[in-house]
Amino acid sequence: MNFLGWAASIQQRTEVALELALPPSHISPTRLHDAMRYAVLGGGKRVRPLLCHATGDLFKATLHSLDMAAIATELIHAYSLIHDDLPCMDNDVLRRGKPTCHIEFDEVTALLAGDALQALAFHVLSSHSLDVDLSHQLDMLNLLATASGSRGMAGGQALDIASTNQQLTIAELELMHIHKTGALIRAAVLLGAHCGKATSSELDQLSHFATRLGLLFQIIDDILDIESDTATLGKTAGKDVAQNKSTYVSLLGKTQAKELAVCLLHESHAALSSFGDRALRLHELTDFIAERNF
Ligand code: GRG
């Protein structure tokens, strides 16, 4: 199967697994459940589930365990997007081509939907039917909790908010993105590896790969923010400049930011070298992330 066919099949099974894991709209509290489903279903590139499956593919992990790990990362991601869009954070009205959750519903419902999605992620990952050894499952829960919390994504968001209207150094920007965007990308890769019982040396190599890939993902995001448009991105373009945020483009200029992206692309591929042809899907996904236009 070619890459696009494989990606479409993973996106499709991710959609089904999310649909099954989310509470139905007709169950009380219906408005909260509606908001959770609105924010999660039918949108997004599903990059984190794709990473989880592509890594699990290396180790021939079972599809069921990968589905559960994949949707756990996507649920955390969806929660972070809802909260990030709130008026007290980025105050945005458009996400995935439709009104943000607090615009479609209201702020309180959006806040609670984010909270509930975070809890649901851990509910899914702690399921008895996960189909991995208990010790691996505990490591996976620990990994996702660390990636989501103050030493991961939430911490990165705190650094981001504290840096508004300030010029960061490249090192400070990198530290912020390693946490804010990179931690969950790394978790998606390592959860896939845990599903396949990767050794600690394999986990180390994949951790290095995922850290470089997370930075690549972010640089491309920064470039798209100035080069693309709102309709293509499905979210407000040009926000970084409007909010006076430090980005790779604002600190390095567009040409150097693009050179750094090429460098990170090479480093990401190189970090997979010991896996040989087994890492085909991860190589393809790395190229997809580098070449994406949304
Ligand atoms: C509120 C705790 C908390 C955290 C928010 C990740 C994050 C921190 C905010 C997201 C806002 C943002 C624009 C981050 C930069 C990169 C990024 C994560 C973009 C969105 O991810 P995609 O491109 O989105 O994978 P889709 O919609 O395709 O899933």
Side-chain angles (χ1 to χ4, degrees), residues 44-48 74 77 79-81 83-84 89 95-96 153-154 157 180-181 217-218 221 235 292:
K45 296 177 287 296
R46 310 301 192 202
V47 164
R48 293 144 197 86
E74 188 65 18
H77 173 57
Y79 126 69
S80 81
L81 297 181
H83 282 197
D84 187 62
M89 294 217 196
R95 173 69 67 182
R96 294 177 167 174
M153 185 182 72
Q157 181 77 343
K180 182 181 156 183
T181 317
F217 183 95
Q218 186 59 53
D221 210 69
K235 62 181 180 182
R292 74 198 164 100

Side-chain angles (χ1 to χ4, degrees), residues 37-144:
R37 298 177 72 84
Y38 175 84
V40 172
L41 295 175
K45 296 177 287 296
R46 310 301 192 202
V47 164
R48 293 144 197 86
L50 287 166
L51 279 169
C52 190
H53 274 274
T55 311
D57 189 67
L58 251 173
F59 302 100
K60 303 282 168 252
T62 67
L63 284 174
H64 175 71
S65 62
L66 291 173
D67 283 338
M68 296 302 105
I71 68 166
T73 61
E74 188 65 18
L75 291 167
I76 295 283
H77 173 57
Y79 126 69
S80 81
L81 297 181
I82 298 176
H83 282 197
D84 187 62
D85 290 333
L86 285 170
C88 63
M89 294 217 196
D90 257 10
N91 192 19
D92 215 329
V93 296
L94 191 71
R95 173 69 67 182
R96 294 177 167 174
K98 54 186 191 181
T100 47
C101 194
H102 67 277
I103 296 290
E104 184 71 14
F105 293 85
D106 54 75
E107 271 183 58
V108 171
T109 306
L111 186 74
L112 290 172
D115 292 340
L117 290 174
Q118 178 168 209
L120 183 60
F122 288 99
H123 181 85
V124 166
L125 202 59
S126 60
S127 157
H128 285 294
S129 72
L130 194 68
D131 202 15
V132 297
D133 297 345
L134 215 48
S135 71
H136 272 287
Q137 192 169 1
L138 279 177
D139 286 343
M140 291 164 76
L141 286 161
N142 191 289
L143 182 70
L144 190 63

